[in-house]
């Protein structure tokens, strides 16, 4: 009896001991990871600071100078603001159109790609890895790469940006669509097949109705991202409001009121579409 | 019987109405999409694209990305013949040296052989001949500022001739003569001078010979000399490219993790569970919305004014934008934590800070970490674009290379590097996620 108690307390001691050792080791690892992370952040910041034209410490108190200039100039010329807003409205429409068209086209391609790369639904099951890799590549290529190359080949304007964003969207949405489609019920598809429906028909009538709400919700989320992308691509030469912003910035002081109008339009648009889309997405996912 | 019909009648009509509505929708949606695409085609001027699109540019792009050309140029005014890769000063062969398909004979005479057996000869007095098998010999000479040839009408369409210039393009290469110069281009596959430029002693030596052979440059050991010549290659700028890639990763890294670190405490303020004051909570949320709504483009422009071009500006632009995004998603995650765990920690007498640390953070850490790592990959892509705007990283090098409109092999190289970089970051963030929170997370 006493012997058993003895070994018992011994083993608890052992368990306690090894538990504490584990905790200690875990703490050391955690601390080490944290230290490496902090080291990376600090040294990374110092390198970035070093390679930047203006330093962080000399620049951070100037951060507000530019917005202040823009605001004061816009305030001085506030009478002209509506005119500026009206002047840049068409290019805003162009930016929005780029986003809508590229989301639409990208979503259509993404839909086809996703169905072709989903197990159980694919038209050619052996080609699934092929379509998956294709989507990976489409997603990996930054839009700016495609846009710049297409601007060289096709000339400036909205089309290069539209194609660039559409390609990326096809890859990104294709992956998300495929994840949704994987969970869809196959019974309707089997039913349709038994009636002799073609692949396209069974997808249209058997799968799409099941996954449509989720697909739409993802497409809307992508649309929010694409509005930003289309504005930013404009800045590097693809037309729309981004191009106008880059032009207004190149003018420098004296035309900051126009820059303010563009900021206002862009900000308003992004917030507006974010709100509309998130409200609609909530409705879609709730049922 | 009539009774049943009467009760079925409303159900039938409503079903038919539903069918009709569905039919309408089924036709209306594709019709609206089609109409919109037509509108887009008109407003984006797709028809005019045919005129703007330049097939010549496309073919230059397609051929130049994987091949290079060597220029053999004779100065028709001052005399002298040079051989230069891509016609660049950095790729010029030194006097007295030339590739084996060019033999330079004095200042003005040279013989250039092509693969298909055609031969160009530079002759004295600004004359030249182009001997093409199956066609004959084209003689040309520059006399008093105009070009005379032995060509008879009709001139084939691969020869472009006027009084001041003649251009002959064959499958093997291209020759042109103007008042100022006579020039021959010969095309080769591959990226020339990728490893070493012509002024490096290691140019033209095989890898095995450099590693195992005798010293090529007596002053340096082969490996360190070759590495330094490769690293400082003036044509492909490997050093600058490596730095630029580093800057792009740095922007994404600093921006993403900096944003996460700032957003985490702010998310507590914006979460209903941890922040009882509605006013504080709502204003924090508005701040997040504002920061997100302003968007990376505007932040980049604003911050570039204060910090100048460079990677720091790009990192800060990503940081500010993502603080908004993270703040929103983090606070949503914090709303959904399990109260039991917090109560358990509180029962031990823990202070609020400890309660958060041990009651909340372990619950949300996997979700937040997954989010942050996903953004790390997508921010690598953003960093290339932002770099092109602020002037830093591989994005800037790509835009510059495209703007010069001649270094297409470098454009191809950069594009390849960017894609590899993004795929690497995708893999890396996935790997890190697997290590930190397990495969399923």
């Amino acid at each position: 009896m006493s012997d058993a108690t003895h070994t018992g307390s011994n083993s608890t001691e052992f368990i306690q001991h090894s538990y504490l050792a584990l905790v200690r080791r875990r703490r050391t690892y955690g601390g080490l990871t944290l230290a490496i992370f902090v080291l990376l952040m600090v040294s990374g910041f110092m390198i970035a600071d070093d390679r930047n034209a203006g330093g962080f410490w000399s620049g951070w108190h100037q951060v507000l100078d530019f917005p202040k200039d823009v605001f004061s100039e816009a305030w001085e010329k506030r009478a002209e603001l509506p005119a500026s807003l009206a002047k840049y409205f068409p290019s805003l429409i162009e930016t929005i159109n780029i986003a809508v068209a590229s989301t639409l086209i990208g979503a259509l391609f993404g839909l086809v790609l996703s169905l072709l790369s989903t197990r159980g639904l694919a038209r050619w099951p052996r080609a699934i890895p092929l379509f998956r890799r294709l989507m990976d590549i489409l997603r990996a290529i930054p839009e700016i790469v495609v846009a710049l190359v297409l601007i060289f080949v096709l000339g400036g304007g909205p089309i290069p940006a539209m194609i660039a964003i559409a390609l990326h969207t096809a890859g990104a949405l294709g992956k998300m669509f495929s994840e949704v489609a994987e969970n869809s019920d196959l019974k309707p598809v089997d039913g349709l097949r038994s009636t002799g429906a073609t692949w396209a028909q069974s997808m249209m009538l058997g799968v799409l109705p099941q996954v449509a709400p989720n697909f739409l919700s993802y497409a809307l989320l992508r649309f929010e991202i694409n509005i930003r992308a289309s504005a930013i691509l404009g800045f590097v030469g693809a037309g729309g409001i981004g191009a106008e912003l880059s032009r207004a910035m190149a003018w420098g002081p004296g035309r900051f009121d126009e820059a303010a109008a563009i900021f206002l339009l862009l900000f308003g648009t992004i917030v507006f579409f974010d709100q509309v889309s998130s409200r609609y997405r909530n409705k879609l996912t709730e049922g | 019987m009539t009774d049943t019909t009467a009760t079925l009648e409303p159900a039938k009509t409503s079903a038919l109405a539903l069918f009709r509505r569905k039919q309408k929708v089924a036709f209306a949606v594709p019709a609206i999409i089609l109409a919109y695409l037509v509108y887009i085609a008109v407003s984006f001027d797709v028809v005019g694209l045919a005129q703007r699109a330049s097939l010549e540019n496309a073919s230059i792009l397609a051929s130049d990305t994987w091949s290079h050309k060597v220029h053999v140029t004779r100065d028709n005014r001052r005399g002298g013949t040079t051989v230069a890769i891509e016609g660049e000063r950095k790729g010029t062969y030194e006097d007295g040296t030339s590739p084996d398909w060019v033999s330079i004979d004095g200042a003005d005479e040279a013989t250039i052989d092509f693969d298909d057996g055609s031969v160009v000869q530079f002759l004295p007095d600004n004359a030249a001949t182009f001997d093409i098998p199956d066609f004959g010999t084209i003689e040309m000479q520059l006399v008093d500022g105009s070009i005379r040839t032995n060509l008879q009408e009709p001139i084939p369409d691969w020869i472009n001739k006027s009084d001041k210039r003649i251009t002959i393009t064959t499958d093997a290469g291209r020759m042109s003569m103007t008042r100022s110069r006579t020039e021959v281009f010969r095309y080769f596959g591959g990226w020339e001078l990728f490893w070493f430029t012509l002024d490096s002693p290691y140019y033209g030596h095989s890898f095995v010979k450099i590693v195992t052979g005798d010293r090529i440059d007596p002053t340096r050991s082969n490996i360190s000399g070759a590495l330094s010549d490769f690293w400082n290659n003036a044509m492909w700028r490997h050093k600058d490219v490596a730095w630029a890639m580093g800057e792009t990763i740095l922007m994404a890294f600093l921006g993403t993790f900096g944003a996460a670190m700032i957003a985490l405490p702010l998310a507590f303020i914006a979460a209903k569970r941890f922040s009882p004051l509605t006013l504080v909570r709502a204003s924090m949320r508005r701040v997040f919305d504002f920061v997100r709504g302003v968007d990376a483009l505007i932040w980049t422009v604003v911050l570039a004014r204060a910090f100048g071009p460079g990677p720091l500006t790009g990192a800060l632009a990503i940081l500010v934008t993502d603080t908004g995004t993270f703040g929103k998603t983090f606070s949503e995650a914090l709303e959904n934590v399990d109260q039991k765990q917090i109560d358990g920690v509180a029962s031990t007498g823990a202070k609020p800070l400890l309660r958060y640390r041990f009651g909340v953070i372990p619950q949300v850490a996997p979700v937040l970490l997954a989010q942050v790592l996903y953004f790390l990959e997508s921010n690598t892509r953003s960093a290339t674009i932002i770099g092109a705007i602020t002037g830093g990283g591989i994005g800037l090098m790509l835009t510059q290379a495209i703007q010069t409109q001649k270094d297409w092999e470098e454009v191809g190289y950069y594009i390849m590097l960017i894609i590899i970089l993004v795929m690497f970051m995708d893999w890396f963030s996935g790997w890190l996620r697997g290590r930190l929170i397990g495969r399923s997370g």
Side-chain angles (χ1 to χ4, degrees):
Chain A
M1 183 69 197
S2 68
D3 211 38
T5 334
H6 187 66
T7 43
S9 78
N10 225 353
S11 72
T12 7
E13 223 166 79
F14 176 73
I15 289 168
Q16 189 185 22
H17 189 73
S18 57
Y19 172 72
L20 283 177
L22 263 178
V23 166
R24 236 173 291 137
R25 193 182 327 153
R26 206 184 133 84
R27 282 212 181 129
T28 330
Y29 283 166
L32 219 60
T33 316
L34 196 69
I36 291 171
F37 177 71
V38 169
L39 196 75
L40 277 176
M41 285 297 281
V42 171
S43 60
F45 173 78
M46 271 152 68
I47 293 170
D49 193 32
D50 195 42
R51 293 183 71 82
N52 216 60
F56 179 75
W57 305 113
S58 60
W60 73 272
H61 51 81
Q62 301 168 14
V63 166
L64 290 178
D65 288 2
F66 174 62
K68 225 187 284 170
D69 286 353
V70 170
F71 267 116
S72 65
E73 226 180 290
W75 185 248
E76 264 169 42
K77 301 184 187 167
R78 58 189 176 277
E80 293 168 28
L81 193 63
S84 298
L85 288 178
K87 180 180 163 193
Y88 291 115
F89 195 70
S91 48
L92 178 71
I93 294 291
E94 184 168 271
T95 294
I96 297 174
N97 271 336
I98 292 174
V100 176
S102 58
T103 311
L104 208 58
I105 296 170
L108 288 177
F109 277 102
L111 175 70
V112 176
L113 278 175
S114 73
L115 293 177
L116 286 174
S117 64
T118 306
R119 250 171 277 130
L121 300 177
R123 180 84 174 75
W124 304 283
R126 276 155 172 255
I128 288 177
L130 183 81
F131 289 114
R132 291 217 168 149
R133 287 298 89 71
L134 178 66
M135 292 194 300
D136 286 347
I137 292 170
L138 286 178
R139 260 181 306 130
I141 304 174
E143 288 132 344
I144 188 174
V145 170
V146 182
L148 285 175
V149 169
L150 286 179
I151 286 172
F152 176 67
V153 175
L154 300 179
I159 294 173
M162 186 186 80
I163 297 175
I165 301 175
L167 286 179
H168 188 81
T169 304
L173 280 183
K175 187 187 177 214
M176 296 183 142
F177 284 178
S178 167
E179 278 163 15
V180 175
E182 213 145 62
N183 297 323
S184 63
D185 188 359
L186 286 180
K187 284 189 204 105
V189 181
D190 292 341
L192 281 160
R193 288 237 171 102
S194 71
T195 66
T198 62
W199 180 78
Q201 282 168 336
S202 56
M203 290 299 123
M204 276 278 283
L205 302 169
V207 181
L208 265 194
Q210 295 183 55
V211 294
N214 277 320
F215 276 23
L216 263 179
S217 154
Y218 277 132
L220 280 172
L221 191 66
R222 202 67 224 175
F223 173 61
E224 290 175 38
I225 299 170
N226 283 350
I227 282 198
R228 293 154 190 257
S230 119
I232 212 165
L233 281 185
F235 202 89
V236 294
I241 195 102
E244 298 292 346
L245 178 61
S246 129
R247 221 164 290 151
M249 292 305 300
W251 279 103
R255 295 285 284 274
F256 279 164
D257 57 316
E258 305 206 341
I262 296 171
F263 284 153
L264 213 61
L265 282 174
L266 201 51
F267 176 70
T269 311
I270 289 173
V271 170
F272 173 74
F273 281 109
D274 273 13
Q275 294 294 332
V276 170
S277 134
S278 86
R279 186 158 303 167
Y280 194 64
R281 273 188 292 128
N282 281 340
K283 229 166 87 182
L284 275 175
T285 42
E286 274 164 18
Chain B
M1 186 70 190
T2 41
D3 238 27
T4 337
T5 329
T7 47
L8 277 180
E9 204 57 39
K12 191 181 163 193
T13 39
S14 77
L16 283 177
L18 191 70
F19 278 158
R20 266 197 296 276
R21 216 183 65 211
K22 292 234 165 185
Q23 263 174 353
K24 261 185 212 154
V25 170
F27 282 107
V29 169
I32 289 169
I33 291 178
L34 198 69
Y36 179 74
L37 288 180
V38 169
Y39 156 68
I40 287 295
V42 172
S43 85
F44 285 3
D45 192 16
V46 172
V47 183
L49 192 68
Q51 286 139 30
R52 276 177 287 141
S54 151
L55 281 179
E56 196 189 344
N57 282 356
S59 67
I60 289 174
L61 185 65
S63 67
D64 275 18
T65 41
W66 61 271
S67 70
H68 69 279
K69 59 185 187 297
V70 180
H71 301 210
V72 184
T73 312
R74 178 175 66 187
D75 193 323
N76 285 346
R77 296 210 169 97
R78 274 165 298 217
T81 304
T82 53
V83 183
I85 290 164
E86 288 290 342
E88 286 189 44
R89 202 170 47 77
K90 288 169 284 190
T92 307
Y93 283 83
E94 276 177 55
D95 287 340
T97 63
S98 67
D100 52 10
W101 48 275
V102 179
S103 64
I104 297 176
D105 200 11
D108 293 339
E109 287 178 58
T111 308
I112 299 133
D113 297 312
F114 286 105
D115 260 350
D116 63 347
S118 47
V119 178
V120 172
Q121 280 191 298
F122 290 175
L123 300 168
D125 298 326
N126 285 343
T129 61
F130 197 164
D131 189 8
I132 302 167
D134 309 329
F135 181 76
T137 304
I138 304 168
E139 294 168 14
M140 58 201 107
Q141 187 167 20
L142 190 68
V143 181
D144 300 329
S146 68
I147 293 166
R148 296 185 191 164
T149 70
N150 65 341
L151 285 170
Q152 308 289 325
E153 295 291 339
I155 294 173
D157 59 357
W158 43 273
I159 298 177
N160 190 339
K161 182 181 167 298
S162 74
D163 194 34
K164 295 192 180 92
R165 114 179 248 123
I166 177 167
T167 309
I168 304 164
T169 314
T170 69
D171 290 339
R174 188 168 141 149
M175 164 170 196
S176 68
M177 182 187 263
T178 62
R179 277 192 225 182
S180 60
R181 63 169 75 104
T182 310
E183 196 162 35
V184 172
F185 295 165
R186 188 176 161 183
Y187 291 87
F188 294 90
W191 293 341
E192 189 55 15
L193 308 181
F194 183 77
W195 304 105
F196 304 111
T197 45
L198 289 171
D199 54 8
S200 161
Y202 304 98
Y203 174 76
H205 292 284
S206 73
F207 177 75
V208 178
K209 197 178 165 201
I210 289 173
V211 173
T212 60
D214 295 334
R215 268 193 185 192
I216 295 166
D217 181 355
T219 56
R220 310 176 282 185
S221 87
N222 271 353
I223 290 175
S224 80
L227 280 179
S228 118
D229 279 9
F230 169 74
W231 188 240
N232 295 309
N233 184 330
M235 200 109 157
W236 287 87
R237 303 196 292 162
H238 296 294
K239 189 168 106 179
D240 297 342
V241 172
W243 266 110
M245 301 263 284
E247 278 183 4
T248 302
I249 297 179
L250 195 61
M251 280 192 250
F253 173 76
L254 282 181
T256 312
F257 286 102
M261 284 181 341
I262 296 173
L264 186 59
L266 296 182
F268 277 96
I269 302 178
K272 207 177 193 170
R273 298 276 293 276
F274 305 98
S275 168
L277 284 174
T278 320
L279 187 68
V280 175
R281 201 168 63 226
S283 50
M284 199 65 239
R285 293 217 165 153
R286 288 296 86 76
V287 169
F288 289 152
D289 284 346
F290 173 77
V291 163
R292 251 164 15 98
V294 170
D295 192 36
L297 172 62
I298 300 177
W299 284 122
T300 312
V301 170
V302 169
L303 292 170
R305 284 267 159 178
F307 300 108
L312 183 72
T313 311
L316 288 175
I318 293 176
L319 187 148
V320 175
T321 320
D322 281 1
T323 302
T325 317
F326 284 153
K328 185 169 181 267
T329 50
F330 285 8
S331 68
E332 278 163 12
L334 287 172
E335 300 268 316
N336 298 324
V337 292
D338 188 358
Q339 185 64 35
K340 288 193 204 96
Q341 208 163 324
I342 306 170
D343 289 342
V345 176
S347 72
T348 65
K351 293 259 171 1
L353 208 60
L354 285 174
R355 253 181 270 165
Y356 295 154
R357 166 66 186 83
F358 293 101
V360 181
I361 297 288
Q363 288 191 55
V364 292
V367 183
L368 305 196
L369 217 57
Q371 184 97 37
V372 170
L373 288 174
Y374 168 71
F375 266 71
L376 182 65
E377 183 260 338
S378 103
N379 277 340
T380 314
R381 260 181 284 113
S382 310
T384 54
I385 300 190
I386 287 175
I389 296 171
T390 63
I394 194 83
L396 179 71
M397 295 194 87
L398 177 73
T399 8
Q400 282 174 343
I402 286 182
Q403 272 159 6
T404 61
Q405 306 221 333
K406 63 187 177 65
D407 301 323
W408 291 109
E409 64 285 350
E410 272 157 47
V411 171
Y413 176 50
Y414 296 153
I415 289 177
M416 214 175 71
L417 285 178
I418 290 173
I419 294 172
I420 291 172
L421 179 71
V422 174
M423 286 189 150
F424 168 77
M425 290 306 270
D426 191 14
W427 167 83
F428 175 72
S429 68
W431 174 82
L432 207 61
R433 189 164 52 220
R435 289 307 297 271
L436 291 174
I437 55 183
R439 291 276 153 217
S440 57

